Each structure stands twice: as C-alpha cells, then as structure tokens.
Amino acid sequence: MMSWTLGIFVLLYLALLLKIEGLKFHRSEHTERISGSAGDVLEDNPVGRLKVFVYELPSKYNKKILQKDQRCLNHMFAAEIFMHRFLLSSAVRTFNPEEADWFYTPVYSTCDLTPNGLPLPFKSPRMMRSAIQLISSNWPYWNRTEGADHFFIVPHDFGACFHYQEEKAIERGILPLLQHATLVQTFGQRNHVCLKDGSITIPPYAPPQKMQSHLIPPDTPRSIFVYFRGLFYDVGNDPEGGYYARGARAAVWENFKNNPLFDISTEHPTTYYEDMQRAIFCLCPLGWAPWSPRLVEAVIFGCIPVIIADDIVLPFADAIPWEDIGVFVAEKDVPNLDTILTSIRPEEILRKQRLLANPSMKQAMLFPTPAQSGDAFHQILNGLARKLPHDKTNYLKPGEKSLNWTAGPVGDLKPW
C-alpha cells in the first residue's frame, strides 16, 4: 500500500514539474514587484528621516571581545557586530546627541562562544547592565526616558531573555533595565514573554559573500521537490525527543524519511547552497527557537520557504509579504506535508518564485559589507524611523525613576 501511495505522489510531482516548465516557457517575466504598501515600505530610504547617536564605549564591550574570537564575524548572531560597524559610517549618524532621535549602545552580547561555536548567554545580562550603568552615569540621555529612545541589538535565541532554553528564558524574562528600550532581535513569537511590543524583528546573519560564491545559473532546473538539512533530534539536550522543535522536526523525519519527494538528511554536504537552488520548497522548521538562518538562505536562493513554527513573527513583516512568498504549515499538520505541498497549484508556485526573484526581497535579508541601499541595515533604520516621533509621556521629570535596578536573578547583579 505504501509503495502505491509513493508512486502516486511521484507521478503527481512529475506532472507538476512538467506543468511548471510549460508555464515558464510561456512567461517572459522572471520577477514580480511587491504590490501595495509592503513594496513601498521595503524600498523606503531612511536617510533624512532619523538621526542616531552612537555611544563610544570602552572596547571591552565590543572590539576586545571580537579580538578574542573572530568566529563571531560569521556566526548567525553577528548582526550586532555589523550593525555597529554600519552605524559608525552611516549618513544617519550624528555626533551631536542633542539632535539625536535614537541612541545606540554597541554591546557584543553574543560573542562568547563554546569550542563548538555555540553562544553562551550567561554573561550577557551583566554585560548589558554594566553598559547601561555606564551610559546613565556619563551621559544624561538615558535618564530622560530610562531608555525609551534607545535601541539595542539582542540577537540571542530568545532575545533579551538571555538564555538558549525556552523554559529558562521565559523564567528569566526580558532584562528589567531594557523594559522601556526598543529591542532589535532575531527572536519573534506572538504572545511570548521574550518579545515585547515595539520590538523590531530582523533576519539572522548569513554571510553574503559566502552565499554569493555559491550561486549557480538561474535557469538551472529545480529538480528537488522538498529540501532540508539539519537536526531532527537533539539527543544531547533532549534525549527523550519530545521537546526539541516541539516534536515538529522529529515528525518530518518519521513521516518522510523514505518519501522520494523529500530530500532530507542530517548530513550537511558541501553542495548545500547549490542544492537549495535546485529545490522548489525548503523546509524552515523551528528548532530550539522558532527562527534559523534557513529562512534567509531560502529567500536568497529562491527556494520557497515552508515555515513550520506556530506564532512566529518574521523579519520585517511590514515590508516583506511572507504570506505571498512562503508556505505556512502548522506544527500539528507536519504529517500532511506531502499532501499540502503537492496540492499547491503550479501557477501559485511560479508567482512565489517570481516574488522571491525580486532583488529588493533578497537585499532586505542581508547585512552586506559595504552596506547597500535597501539591505537589512536600512530596513532596521526604516523600522526605527516609523516609530518616530517618540511619545512625550516617555520623558520623566527630573529625579523620577520607574525601573528597578535591583530586579532580576541575583547572578545578574554581580559586577561585569
């Protein structure tokens, strides 16, 4: 019975490929502009709409940390480093804090890696508290609003909750001193303790030059139906197998490991980027956190992202039409993935591919060096500009305070 079912799916897939190729032959357009307000927002130019003052902190908060471990430059959390570098030479930077709309505190809170390259967030709260104590003691601007006109880059798994395990991140909550600030973070999940109102959700860092070097001819046939490389189980941290990815990755493996439409494996081949460019659909399931660099890679390589992460808040959601370019599958529906994906009409697949081919879509997901118009740096600035002007009720009376500087776990209160 199973072989008959697989045979039917293979025949459906072959018919789908033939129809897609036939439609391609009759269409001359290869890209499609994003329609409506989303497209306009994506192409906004933030220069002239805001001014940012960059605090000059002692190098122990940023440059010295990077000098100890250059791996941080290529890590998926590296947005904090490249955003700092970008702002130092950006046209929105002002050296006069009195005219600034926003204040930026450059702290490399994720650049503390294990030998395996995993970030250790345990020093981050103390580092952040130390930096805030410094700027509040040496400049008057934090104390005016207790950080309401300040933004911080916090690209940890669960943002400013500063822990890589969700239960412990929820228990910690967002660092109390950051309650009024705007958080720019990769983590995004609706109705979650670690995502507060007003945060700006950004893509994780993926090395632009590395991806560029793996591009293949755009007319290469997409002969892989569904592609995924990564963990299905995290035996070391979740030996019973039900907690990691809330069981969604395990369900992918158990249901489709023998399905010929699914090219899935834990092995990470040297042709990984090339394979994504040969695939129609790329799975982007949650892991320990709902986000991963696969989302960026799928967009860059024109592979339709299949997003499996309930309640995820996606990067720059007011500018990128994720519903139009991706496919959303509820975690409980993973066992039906084959039916869901083979039932999508070829015309819809082609439209998603044309939108993904739009250069502005790809540019918005990258942190290139040097910066380029419309890239992720500029999308962050656009998000900050759209939050202006600041609410005047944020400004405190002289001597007034509302933040509790002694709140939080005892370990966070130790000097850094």
Side-chain angles (χ1 to χ4, degrees):
M1 180 66 183
M2 181 64 72
S3 61
W4 276 101
T5 304
L6 290 177
I8 291 170
F9 275 120
V10 170
L11 288 173
L12 285 171
Y13 172 51
L14 291 173
L16 186 67
L17 278 182
L18 287 171
K19 189 166 185 182
I20 289 174
E21 291 304 314
L23 285 169
K24 280 182 179 178
F25 180 78
H26 292 291
R27 293 177 185 267
S28 59
E29 56 183 333
H30 299 289
T31 66
E32 184 170 325
R33 188 186 184 276
I34 303 159
S35 60
S37 60
D40 296 333
V41 170
L42 193 65
E43 295 167 8
D44 276 352
N45 183 357
V47 177
R49 298 169 57 212
L50 77 166
K51 292 182 179 181
V52 177
F53 179 78
V54 180
Y55 286 114
E56 293 188 19
L57 301 184
S59 60
K60 70 174 186 176
Y61 292 98
N62 39 64
K63 294 177 183 177
K64 280 190 176 178
I65 296 175
L66 179 58
Q67 287 171 2
K68 292 179 181 177
D69 198 337
Q70 292 290 309
R71 292 178 301 168
C72 297
L73 286 169
N74 295 304
H75 204 280
M76 60 183 173
F77 301 110
E80 62 184 1
I81 298 171
F82 289 100
M83 189 67 189
H84 181 204
R85 291 181 174 183
F86 162 73
L87 284 172
L88 290 178
S89 59
S90 170
V92 304
R93 183 185 184 187
T94 178
F95 291 89
N96 179 5
E98 293 296 333
E99 66 176 17
D101 301 296
W102 287 99
F103 295 81
Y104 169 61
T105 309
V107 180
Y108 297 172
S109 64
T110 64
C111 189
D112 183 15
L113 307 181
T114 66
N116 294 330
L118 300 175
L120 294 172
F122 308 117
K123 297 178 184 176
S124 303
R126 289 188 292 132
M127 185 190 307
M128 196 67 78
R129 282 179 56 87
S130 173
I132 293 172
Q133 287 172 335
L134 180 69
I135 63 173
S136 65
S137 300
N138 291 279
W139 290 273
Y141 308 105
W142 171 273
N143 299 319
R144 295 185 312 186
T145 64
E146 291 192 317
D149 52 1
H150 288 56
F151 70 93
F152 293 81
I153 314 294
V154 283
H156 275 286
D157 290 279
F158 290 95
C161 287
F162 295 126
H163 208 286
Y164 58 85
Q165 292 181 338
E166 185 172 18
E167 285 184 354
K168 293 182 178 178
I170 291 172
E171 183 181 335
R172 286 186 53 84
I174 291 172
L175 186 71
L177 291 184
L178 294 176
Q179 291 291 343
H180 296 167
T182 289
L183 303 181
V184 179
Q185 59 187 65
T186 45
F187 173 75
Q189 183 174 316
R190 288 186 292 275
N191 305 313
H192 198 285
V193 169
C194 300
L195 180 70
K196 73 186 192 75
D197 289 344
S199 298
I200 297 174
T201 310
I202 65 172
Y205 179 79
Q209 290 81 5
K210 181 179 178 182
M211 290 192 290
Q212 180 75 24
S213 68
H214 286 268
L215 289 176
I216 62 178
D219 56 353
T220 302
R222 291 188 177 267
S223 55
I224 301 170
F225 191 57
V226 179
Y227 188 75
F228 176 79
R229 291 293 185 273
L231 289 177
F232 298 99
Y233 300 91
D234 189 344
V235 178
N237 295 300
D238 181 30
E240 296 182 5
Y243 186 65
Y244 178 61
R246 297 196 283 255
R249 292 197 186 199
V252 170
W253 178 249
E254 297 303 332
N255 284 278
F256 304 111
K257 58 187 174 185
N258 296 319
N259 189 318
L261 298 185
F262 284 67
D263 187 346
I264 58 177
S265 173
T266 56
E267 297 178 2
H268 207 289
T270 56
T271 57
Y272 173 68
Y273 284 156
E274 289 81 358
D275 292 343
M276 291 188 85
Q277 295 169 79
R278 297 186 180 98
I280 294 176
F281 296 105
C282 288
L283 301 185
C284 300
L286 75 161
W288 284 111
W291 60 272
S292 83
R294 287 180 192 83
L295 196 65
V296 177
E297 294 161 351
V299 171
I300 296 303
F301 294 130
C303 186
I304 298 170
V306 180
I307 299 160
I308 307 170
D310 294 352
D311 296 322
I312 189 172
V313 176
L314 290 160
F316 308 134
D318 55 351
I320 295 178
W322 290 105
E323 294 283 348
D324 292 335
I325 65 173
V327 176
F328 289 79
V329 176
E331 292 165 26
K332 67 178 178 60
D333 293 333
V334 167
N336 303 318
L337 255 179
D338 49 1
T339 303
I340 292 170
L341 297 179
T342 55
S343 66
I344 300 175
R345 294 180 299 108
E347 294 86 354
E348 182 64 17
I349 290 174
L350 282 172
R351 181 171 184 272
K352 291 179 185 296
Q353 290 175 336
R354 289 197 306 274
L355 283 169
L356 284 168
N358 188 320
S360 62
M361 187 85 69
K362 301 177 188 298
Q363 191 76 336
M365 299 295 284
L366 295 175
F367 295 90
T369 303
Q372 299 171 18
S373 177
D375 61 17
F377 300 118
H378 291 84
Q379 301 307 326
I380 292 172
L381 294 181
N382 282 335
L384 292 170
R386 286 192 289 274
K387 292 169 70 67
L388 297 174
H390 294 294
D391 189 337
K392 292 191 180 299
T393 61
N394 290 331
Y395 290 84
L396 304 175
K397 297 176 182 177
E400 182 182 4
K401 289 186 178 181
S402 63
L403 291 177
N404 184 354
W405 284 73
T406 60
V410 175
D412 290 0
L413 306 182
K414 295 178 181 179
W416 179 75

